[in-house]
mmCIF file of all heavy atoms in Angstrom:
data_model
loop_
_atom_site.group_PDB
_atom_site.id
_atom_site.type_symbol
_atom_site.label_atom_id
_atom_site.label_comp_id
_atom_site.label_asym_id
_atom_site.label_seq_id
_atom_site.Cartn_x
_atom_site.Cartn_y
_atom_site.Cartn_z
ATOM 1 N N HIS A 1464 10.356 -9.486 5.289
ATOM 2 C CA HIS A 1464 11.158 -9.653 6.518
ATOM 3 C C HIS A 1464 12.648 -9.368 6.411
ATOM 4 O O HIS A 1464 13.292 -8.637 7.078
ATOM 5 C CB HIS A 1464 10.915 -11.017 7.102
ATOM 6 C CG HIS A 1464 11.598 -11.398 8.330
ATOM 7 N ND1 HIS A 1464 11.409 -10.586 9.472
ATOM 8 C CD2 HIS A 1464 12.499 -12.299 8.686
ATOM 9 C CE1 HIS A 1464 12.087 -11.103 10.519
ATOM 10 N NE2 HIS A 1464 12.782 -12.073 10.039
ATOM 11 N N GLN A 1465 13.253 -10.057 5.369
ATOM 12 C CA GLN A 1465 14.623 -9.964 5.181
ATOM 13 C C GLN A 1465 15.156 -8.503 4.812
ATOM 14 O O GLN A 1465 16.067 -8.006 5.326
ATOM 15 C CB GLN A 1465 15.104 -10.907 3.955
ATOM 16 C CG GLN A 1465 16.673 -10.974 3.801
ATOM 17 C CD GLN A 1465 17.336 -11.580 4.963
ATOM 18 O OE1 GLN A 1465 17.002 -12.597 5.521
ATOM 19 N NE2 GLN A 1465 18.424 -10.848 5.484
ATOM 20 N N ARG A 1466 14.365 -7.875 3.989
ATOM 21 C CA ARG A 1466 14.706 -6.508 3.547
ATOM 22 C C ARG A 1466 14.617 -5.534 4.759
ATOM 23 O O ARG A 1466 15.386 -4.701 4.935
ATOM 24 C CB ARG A 1466 13.697 -6.081 2.449
ATOM 25 C CG ARG A 1466 14.242 -4.892 1.631
ATOM 26 C CD ARG A 1466 13.590 -3.616 2.023
ATOM 27 N NE ARG A 1466 12.166 -3.590 2.031
ATOM 28 C CZ ARG A 1466 11.395 -2.614 2.407
ATOM 29 N NH1 ARG A 1466 11.952 -1.531 2.965
ATOM 30 N NH2 ARG A 1466 10.059 -2.616 2.301
ATOM 31 N N LEU A 1467 13.635 -5.817 5.620
ATOM 32 C CA LEU A 1467 13.504 -4.939 6.762
ATOM 33 C C LEU A 1467 14.712 -5.160 7.803
ATOM 34 O O LEU A 1467 15.053 -4.257 8.544
ATOM 35 C CB LEU A 1467 12.145 -5.047 7.407
ATOM 36 C CG LEU A 1467 11.055 -4.599 6.479
ATOM 37 C CD1 LEU A 1467 9.676 -4.752 7.113
ATOM 38 C CD2 LEU A 1467 11.179 -3.100 6.095
ATOM 39 N N LEU A 1468 15.159 -6.328 7.883
ATOM 40 C CA LEU A 1468 16.319 -6.615 8.697
ATOM 41 C C LEU A 1468 17.555 -5.902 8.092
ATOM 42 O O LEU A 1468 18.309 -5.324 8.859
ATOM 43 C CB LEU A 1468 16.635 -8.099 8.842
ATOM 44 C CG LEU A 1468 15.531 -8.986 9.535
ATOM 45 C CD1 LEU A 1468 15.893 -10.429 9.481
ATOM 46 C CD2 LEU A 1468 15.367 -8.514 10.942
ATOM 47 N N ASP A 1469 17.675 -5.874 6.715
ATOM 48 C CA ASP A 1469 18.751 -5.202 6.079
ATOM 49 C C ASP A 1469 18.679 -3.782 6.395
ATOM 50 O O ASP A 1469 19.663 -3.006 6.662
ATOM 51 C CB ASP A 1469 18.773 -5.483 4.609
ATOM 52 C CG ASP A 1469 19.148 -6.810 4.201
ATOM 53 O OD1 ASP A 1469 19.880 -7.520 5.028
ATOM 54 O OD2 ASP A 1469 18.756 -7.412 3.124
ATOM 55 N N ARG A 1470 17.411 -3.208 6.321
ATOM 56 C CA ARG A 1470 17.200 -1.792 6.604
ATOM 57 C C ARG A 1470 17.720 -1.430 8.060
ATOM 58 O O ARG A 1470 18.274 -0.432 8.288
ATOM 59 C CB ARG A 1470 15.751 -1.486 6.465
ATOM 60 C CG ARG A 1470 15.342 -0.102 7.075
ATOM 61 C CD ARG A 1470 13.805 0.105 7.076
ATOM 62 N NE ARG A 1470 13.453 1.207 7.916
ATOM 63 C CZ ARG A 1470 13.095 1.105 9.181
ATOM 64 N NH1 ARG A 1470 13.161 -0.098 9.790
ATOM 65 N NH2 ARG A 1470 12.798 2.184 9.818
ATOM 66 N N GLU A 1471 17.297 -2.338 8.999
ATOM 67 C CA GLU A 1471 17.775 -2.041 10.346
ATOM 68 C C GLU A 1471 19.357 -1.978 10.435
ATOM 69 O O GLU A 1471 19.790 -1.162 11.129
ATOM 70 C CB GLU A 1471 17.188 -3.162 11.284
ATOM 71 C CG GLU A 1471 17.236 -2.793 12.721
ATOM 72 C CD GLU A 1471 16.544 -3.866 13.605
ATOM 73 O OE1 GLU A 1471 16.079 -4.855 13.145
ATOM 74 O OE2 GLU A 1471 16.738 -3.641 14.867
ATOM 75 N N LEU A 1472 19.969 -2.953 9.741
ATOM 76 C CA LEU A 1472 21.415 -2.967 9.762
ATOM 77 C C LEU A 1472 22.005 -1.683 9.102
ATOM 78 O O LEU A 1472 22.934 -1.036 9.690
ATOM 79 C CB LEU A 1472 21.916 -4.206 9.015
ATOM 80 C CG LEU A 1472 23.440 -4.460 9.060
ATOM 81 C CD1 LEU A 1472 23.874 -4.726 10.533
ATOM 82 C CD2 LEU A 1472 23.787 -5.724 8.236
ATOM 83 N N VAL A 1473 21.442 -1.209 8.038
ATOM 84 C CA VAL A 1473 21.932 0.012 7.409
ATOM 85 C C VAL A 1473 21.805 1.168 8.290
ATOM 86 O O VAL A 1473 22.659 1.985 8.521
ATOM 87 C CB VAL A 1473 21.124 0.330 6.108
ATOM 88 C CG1 VAL A 1473 21.381 1.710 5.553
ATOM 89 C CG2 VAL A 1473 21.417 -0.769 5.067
ATOM 90 N N ARG A 1474 20.571 1.265 9.037
ATOM 91 C CA ARG A 1474 20.357 2.472 9.837
ATOM 92 C C ARG A 1474 21.247 2.398 11.058
ATOM 93 O O ARG A 1474 21.614 3.430 11.688
ATOM 94 C CB ARG A 1474 18.909 2.519 10.249
ATOM 95 C CG ARG A 1474 18.067 2.882 9.022
ATOM 96 C CD ARG A 1474 16.578 2.800 9.279
ATOM 97 N NE ARG A 1474 16.212 3.761 10.463
ATOM 98 C CZ ARG A 1474 15.999 5.011 10.227
ATOM 99 N NH1 ARG A 1474 16.233 5.639 9.121
ATOM 100 N NH2 ARG A 1474 15.644 5.765 11.297
ATOM 101 N N LEU A 1475 21.636 1.173 11.553
ATOM 102 C CA LEU A 1475 22.580 1.020 12.677
ATOM 103 C C LEU A 1475 23.947 1.442 12.255
ATOM 104 O O LEU A 1475 24.645 2.023 13.080
ATOM 105 C CB LEU A 1475 22.520 -0.453 13.078
ATOM 106 C CG LEU A 1475 23.051 -0.834 14.452
ATOM 107 C CD1 LEU A 1475 22.257 -0.173 15.553
ATOM 108 C CD2 LEU A 1475 23.078 -2.330 14.552
ATOM 109 N N LEU A 1476 24.386 1.080 11.023
ATOM 110 C CA LEU A 1476 25.820 1.296 10.698
ATOM 111 C C LEU A 1476 26.190 2.581 9.932
ATOM 112 O O LEU A 1476 27.296 2.899 9.788
ATOM 113 C CB LEU A 1476 26.256 0.055 9.820
ATOM 114 C CG LEU A 1476 26.322 -1.293 10.475
ATOM 115 C CD1 LEU A 1476 26.788 -2.359 9.538
ATOM 116 C CD2 LEU A 1476 27.140 -1.258 11.836
ATOM 117 N N ARG A 1477 25.079 3.307 9.499
ATOM 118 C CA ARG A 1477 25.430 4.498 8.716
ATOM 119 C C ARG A 1477 26.074 5.449 9.636
ATOM 120 O O ARG A 1477 25.801 5.609 10.863
ATOM 121 C CB ARG A 1477 24.185 5.034 8.048
ATOM 122 C CG ARG A 1477 23.204 5.617 9.044
ATOM 123 C CD ARG A 1477 21.996 6.076 8.326
ATOM 124 N NE ARG A 1477 21.045 6.567 9.293
ATOM 125 C CZ ARG A 1477 19.944 7.237 9.012
ATOM 126 N NH1 ARG A 1477 19.647 7.448 7.782
ATOM 127 N NH2 ARG A 1477 19.155 7.667 9.990
ATOM 128 N N PRO A 1478 27.056 6.225 8.944
ATOM 129 C CA PRO A 1478 27.978 7.061 9.841
ATOM 130 C C PRO A 1478 27.268 8.207 10.551
ATOM 131 O O PRO A 1478 27.663 8.625 11.631
ATOM 132 C CB PRO A 1478 28.951 7.555 8.800
ATOM 133 C CG PRO A 1478 28.455 7.310 7.485
ATOM 134 C CD PRO A 1478 27.431 6.195 7.589
ATOM 135 N N ASP A 1479 26.269 8.865 9.879
ATOM 136 C CA ASP A 1479 25.617 9.931 10.568
ATOM 137 C C ASP A 1479 24.226 10.075 10.066
ATOM 138 O O ASP A 1479 23.709 9.199 9.403
ATOM 139 C CB ASP A 1479 26.384 11.331 10.347
ATOM 140 C CG ASP A 1479 26.546 11.581 8.814
ATOM 141 O OD1 ASP A 1479 25.725 11.191 8.110
ATOM 142 O OD2 ASP A 1479 27.544 12.102 8.429
#
Side-chain angles (χ1 to χ4, degrees):
H1464 182 57
Q1465 186 62 49
R1466 199 260 301 173
L1467 293 179
L1468 294 180
D1469 288 339
R1470 164 187 169 269
E1471 194 179 356
L1472 188 60
V1473 169
R1474 291 175 58 79
L1475 196 65
L1476 296 180
R1477 67 181 178 170
D1479 56 32

